[in-house]
Amino acid sequence: MGLLGELLMLPFAPVRGTGWVLRQVVAEAEKQYYDPAAIQAELRALEERLEAGEIDEAEFDRLEDSLLDRLEQKQKGMQGQ
C-alpha cells in the first residue's frame, strides 16, 4: 500500500490497533489456558480439594476430565505443527 493508501487509511488506525491488541490478548490467554504446567497445578489443586472433602468423587472426575481434555488438545496441537 502506497503513501496515498496509508493516508486514506489513517482514520482507521485506532481500529486496526485495537484489533492487533485483541489478537495478542487472545493468543496469550490461549497460551496460558493450554500451558501443561498450569494444567498440572490445577490437577494438584483439584486433588487437594477432593482430599479436603470440598468436592465429591463425581465432581472431581468431571473436572479432572475437563483438565485432561485441555492437556490432550495442547498435545494434539503440538503434533500438528
Side-chain angles (χ1 to χ4, degrees):
M1 189 179 281
L3 180 59
L4 183 58
E6 288 294 325
L7 287 174
L8 292 172
M9 295 299 289
L10 194 58
F12 299 106
V15 174
R16 291 187 311 190
T18 302
W20 179 85
V21 169
L22 288 175
R23 286 190 299 274
Q24 299 305 310
V25 169
V26 168
E28 184 61 28
E30 286 179 346
K31 179 179 167 187
Q32 290 179 12
Y33 183 76
Y34 292 111
D35 179 24
I39 294 171
Q40 291 170 353
E42 288 183 54
L43 284 168
R44 285 190 296 274
L46 186 61
E47 189 172 351
E48 290 173 4
R49 289 179 61 199
L50 176 67
E51 291 173 359
E54 295 175 16
I55 58 174
D56 63 5
E57 190 74 33
E59 180 73 3
F60 174 82
D61 288 341
R62 187 182 64 77
L63 294 171
E64 181 186 41
D65 287 344
S66 174
L67 289 169
L68 293 175
D69 286 344
R70 278 175 38 197
L71 190 59
E72 185 178 320
Q73 288 173 348
K74 173 65 175 179
Q75 289 173 345
K76 283 182 181 178
M78 290 176 60
Q79 291 173 354
Q81 291 180 354

